């Protein structure tokens, strides 16, 4: 996956709703089970990690905002 793909992904991660993140994460997780190419599987796992990080960051931010 090229630099433009990753730029687009990071932009989407920052702007997508939490619902969109969860929905797309489920779709990407399903794709992982259907892919046999090791390189592509590695990229998909990296995408999943970035999605998980964004979901976690939003949860932590929400928690901080509710305490304040």
């Amino acid at each position: 996956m090229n630099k433009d793909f990753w730029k687009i992904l990071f932009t989407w991660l920052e702007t997508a709703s939490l619902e969109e993140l969860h929905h797309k994460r489920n779709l990407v997780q399903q794709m992982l089970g259907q892919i046999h190419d090791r390189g592509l599987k590695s990229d998909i796992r990296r995408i999943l990690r970035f999605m998980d990080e964004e979901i976690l960051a939003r949860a932590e931010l929400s928690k901080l905002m509710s305490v304040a």
Side-chain angles (χ1 to χ4, degrees):
M1 299 194 184
N2 63 25
K3 285 183 179 182
D4 288 334
F5 171 82
W6 294 109
K7 287 178 186 178
I8 291 167
L9 175 67
F10 291 130
T11 299
W12 178 80
L13 286 171
E14 292 178 357
T15 59
S17 70
L18 192 55
E19 182 179 310
E20 287 176 304
L21 282 168
H22 283 291
H23 177 72
K24 293 293 185 185
R25 191 200 179 288
N26 289 337
L27 292 175
V28 172
Q29 183 69 43
Q30 290 174 4
M31 283 177 46
L32 185 61
Q34 300 171 357
I35 303 296
H36 300 291
D37 180 87
R38 293 180 82 182
L40 186 54
K41 277 190 139 182
S42 176
D43 285 340
I44 291 173
R45 281 192 288 274
R46 188 191 314 174
I47 292 167
L48 287 169
R49 280 193 306 274
F50 288 136
M51 289 176 153
D52 289 342
E53 288 174 6
E54 182 65 25
I55 291 168
L56 180 60
R58 290 182 188 201
E60 290 177 5
L61 182 61
S62 177
K63 185 178 175 182
L64 289 173
M65 299 293 282
S66 67
V67 171

